[in-house]
């Protein structure tokens, strides 16, 4: 039988010049090429964080249960509350009976136990603790239900069109679904707006102390994201796994000024999700390059000022901008220069224009530039002098 298969393969190569691919082959990212990395994940994306550009996608809008990757949204809302001053890292949080009753991944918080916000954030980020995230949700919004409502509102704001959250922790629940692309969107929002979260996501091991009626007891935290130790430049972000969701991961990594996000959903095993995410990140970095673009005054031209003592305003001779180029989309990168219509007075340091970088018609970066000097409003003597000089 084996001899016949070999003969068929040889004959096929002789006729077509190619090796046949069986129909049930696991999907491969073809351009990864030599590494021959295969994705077991049902859904996956790679996104360059700064520009929000997708570099690779596989069933990006397939709605699937996300398991504890849900906590990316929960953390996003908690960091928003910290930014607004509604929460402080040292605020005490009393654990409710409901929060303590959470199953799955947990740090075994007890009813009425008190921990501060920062400790609970560590428990969520490092050990993916369901009890800790529900305690934070209740503290921030009054109840988990109210917090979940906020999660769904935020999802709509971010354009997560295929997401519905039913709880704050990610335990399997009917209708609790999202997509690889939507996870990338909320992951990007978290790391771009609140990069301080990476201080916690990069912690490999830590401890905290339970303080209950039974006394005090130290509890160890170990990072569920093994890529922190296994992938060069890994900065986070969140793992998730349940029987229904299988193995999910939102992985972030930073190399040479490029922050990449790889999301895999429903990988077969914990090892597979790391292989999948690593292959995707490698592919993303291989296709991205940081370059410096220089915009000169010659390109921009004069910026005129109406009713001013001067007819135009001065601005920098050169504007240098770091741009992340994506190889397969280089031809779609465009630059637009927009100058403001100015009327005196113009103050030194005032924005007088901006440079827009667009990819596929979408703005990926805005670079404002500013007046280097003030232009005062024209008065009677200066207007008279201007008329005289223009006449002669």
């Amino acid at each position: 039988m084996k001899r016949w298969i070999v003969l068929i393969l040889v004959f096929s190569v002789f006729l077509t010049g190619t090796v046949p691919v069986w129909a049930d082959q696991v999907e491969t990212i073809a351009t990864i090429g030599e590494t021959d990395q295969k994705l077991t994940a049902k859904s996956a994306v790679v996104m360059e964080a700064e520009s929000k550009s997708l570099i690779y996608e596989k069933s990006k809008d397939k709605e699937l249960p996300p398991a504890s990757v849900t906590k990316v949204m929960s953390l996003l809302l908690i960091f928003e509350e910290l930014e607004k001053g509604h929460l402080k890292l040292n605020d005490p949080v009393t654990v409710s009976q409901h929060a303590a009753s959470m199953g799955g991944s947990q740090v075994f918080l007890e009813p009425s136990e008190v921990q501060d916000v920062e400790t609970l954030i560590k428990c969520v980020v490092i050990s993916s603790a369901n009890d800790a995230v529900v305690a934070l949700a209740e503290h921030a919004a009054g109840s988990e239900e109210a917090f979940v409502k906020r999660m769904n509102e935020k999802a709509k704001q971010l354009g997560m069109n295929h997401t519905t959250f039913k709880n704050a922790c990610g335990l399997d629940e009917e209708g609790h679904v999202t997509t690889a692309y939507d996870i990338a969107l909320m992951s990007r929002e978290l790391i771009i707006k609140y990069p301080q979260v990476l201080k916690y996501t990069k912690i490999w091991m830590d401890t905290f102390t339970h303080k209950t009626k039974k006394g005090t007891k130290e509890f160890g935290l170990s990072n569920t994201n093994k890529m922190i130790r296994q992938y060069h430049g890994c900065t986070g972000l969140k793992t998730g796994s349940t029987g229904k969701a299988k193995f999910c991961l939102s992985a972030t990594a930073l190399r040479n000024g490029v922050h990449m996000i790889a999301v895999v959903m429903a990988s077969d095993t914990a090892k597979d999700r790391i292989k999948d995410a690593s292959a995707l990140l490698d592919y993303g970095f291989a296709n991205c390059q940081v370059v410096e673009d220089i915009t000169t005054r010659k390109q921009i031209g004069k910026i005129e000022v109406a009713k001013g003592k001067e007819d135009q305003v001065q601005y920098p001779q050169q504007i240098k901008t770091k741009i992340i180029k994506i190889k397969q989309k280089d031809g779609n990168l465009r630059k637009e220069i927009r100058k403001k219509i100015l009327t005196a007075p113009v103050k030194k340091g005032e924005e007088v224009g901006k440079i827009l970088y667009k990819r596929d018609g979408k703005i990926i970066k805005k670079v404002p530039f500013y007046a280097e000097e003030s232009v005062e409003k024209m008065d009677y003597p200066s207007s008279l002098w201007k008329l005289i000089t223009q006449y002669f």
Side-chain angles (χ1 to χ4, degrees):
M1 184 67 181
K2 289 181 181 177
R3 199 175 295 171
W4 277 106
I5 292 171
V6 172
L7 285 171
I8 291 167
L9 281 169
V10 171
F11 188 64
S12 174
V13 173
F14 177 75
L15 288 177
T16 66
T18 60
V19 178
V21 179
W22 308 125
D24 61 351
Q25 182 180 357
V26 179
E27 177 164 336
T28 303
I29 306 175
T31 44
I32 286 183
E34 293 176 2
T35 57
D36 194 33
Q37 292 284 359
K38 297 176 181 179
L39 294 182
T40 69
K42 284 185 181 178
S43 174
V45 299
V46 183
M47 178 184 285
E48 189 278 303
E50 183 183 72
S51 67
K52 206 161 67 173
S53 297
L54 277 185
I55 302 169
Y56 172 83
E57 61 182 78
K58 173 187 175 181
S59 303
K60 73 179 182 71
D61 295 324
K62 187 177 181 66
E63 295 181 4
L64 295 165
S68 283
V69 181
T70 298
K71 295 183 177 81
V72 171
M73 179 59 81
S74 300
L75 288 165
L76 176 58
L77 294 186
I78 293 301
F79 276 92
E80 278 189 357
E81 292 297 291
L82 287 166
E83 182 184 47
K84 292 173 184 175
H86 298 164
L87 291 179
K88 291 184 174 60
L89 290 174
N90 59 359
D91 282 351
V93 178
T94 303
V95 179
S96 70
Q97 178 70 46
H98 173 63
S101 70
M102 292 295 109
S105 180
Q106 56 186 305
V107 289
F108 303 99
L109 299 171
E110 295 187 15
S112 301
E113 181 176 348
V114 178
Q115 296 290 348
D116 63 36
V117 168
E118 185 170 34
T119 297
L120 293 176
I121 287 173
K122 286 183 181 180
C123 292
V124 173
V125 172
I126 302 169
S127 291
S128 195
N130 295 333
D131 45 3
V133 78
V134 172
L136 282 170
E138 291 176 333
H139 184 74
S143 69
E144 185 182 10
E145 290 78 11
F147 189 80
V148 171
K149 185 180 178 183
R150 290 187 193 177
M151 291 170 70
N152 286 310
E153 288 170 354
K154 189 67 180 178
K156 285 182 181 178
Q157 289 175 21
L158 295 178
M160 297 168 62
N161 299 323
H162 297 276
T163 296
T164 303
F165 294 116
K166 297 285 186 177
N167 58 62
C169 61
L171 286 171
D172 287 337
E173 190 170 338
E174 191 64 34
H176 184 93
V177 293
T178 187
T179 67
Y181 178 64
D182 286 0
I183 289 172
L185 288 177
M186 67 179 180
S187 298
R188 176 188 181 273
E189 186 77 1
L190 180 59
I191 66 171
I192 295 291
K193 286 194 73 174
Y194 307 106
Q196 60 267 37
V197 72
L198 303 179
K199 177 179 76 172
Y200 303 107
T201 58
K202 291 188 284 188
I203 296 172
W204 181 242
M205 298 188 80
D206 205 340
T207 60
F208 79 100
T209 303
H210 282 294
K211 295 179 182 178
T212 65
K213 294 175 182 178
K214 298 175 184 177
T216 61
K217 184 180 179 182
E218 194 173 76
F219 189 90
L221 303 173
S222 179
N223 205 317
T224 59
N225 183 12
K226 306 309 175 191
M227 284 190 71
I228 295 295
R229 285 288 182 91
Q230 296 179 20
Y231 191 84
H232 172 61
C234 185
T235 57
L237 185 62
K238 193 71 202 72
T239 60
S241 62
T242 64
K244 189 176 178 181
K246 299 177 81 172
F247 293 87
C248 306
L249 174 62
S250 177
T252 56
L254 180 64
R255 289 184 187 175
N256 301 319
V258 180
H259 218 150
M260 204 69 65
I261 302 166
V263 179
V264 294
M265 298 189 75
S267 288
D268 290 337
T269 67
K271 286 184 178 179
D272 283 332
R273 75 178 167 193
I274 289 178
K275 286 181 182 177
D276 289 347
S278 297
L280 291 167
L281 288 171
D282 285 345
Y283 180 71
F285 286 123
N287 282 277
C288 283
Q289 180 186 10
V290 179
V291 296
E292 187 174 68
D293 181 68
I294 298 176
T295 306
T296 64
R297 273 192 190 173
K298 187 176 180 181
Q299 290 173 284
I300 297 171
K302 293 180 180 179
I303 299 181
E304 296 181 347
V305 181
K307 299 180 182 179
K309 288 185 176 181
E310 305 293 335
D311 292 330
Q312 55 186 288
V313 69
Q314 297 300 314
Y315 58 90
Q317 291 277 0
Q318 290 186 340
I319 300 158
K320 296 180 180 180
T321 309
K322 285 187 177 180
I323 293 293
I324 297 171
K325 280 196 170 184
I326 299 173
K327 287 181 182 177
Q328 69 263 46
K329 296 187 177 184
D330 274 359
N332 298 333
L333 188 63
R334 297 285 183 271
K335 178 166 74 172
E336 289 182 14
I337 296 167
R338 294 186 183 175
K339 298 182 281 188
K340 280 193 171 182
I341 299 170
L342 300 172
T343 302
V346 177
K347 294 181 180 179
K348 182 180 179 180
E350 182 179 333
E351 184 182 317
V352 294
K354 64 180 66 173
I355 304 163
L356 303 181
Y357 292 89
K358 293 183 176 181
R359 184 178 287 122
D360 297 325
K362 295 179 180 178
I363 297 171
I364 61 168
K365 193 162 192 172
K366 297 179 184 178
V367 182
F369 51 95
Y370 306 93
E372 289 190 323
E373 59 183 21
S374 296
V375 177
E376 294 178 16
K377 194 172 182 179
M378 185 185 293
D379 53 18
Y380 181 76
S382 60
S383 63
L384 183 61
W385 178 249
K386 184 177 280 190
L387 285 170
I388 293 169
T389 55
Q390 284 176 350
Y391 182 79
F392 287 103

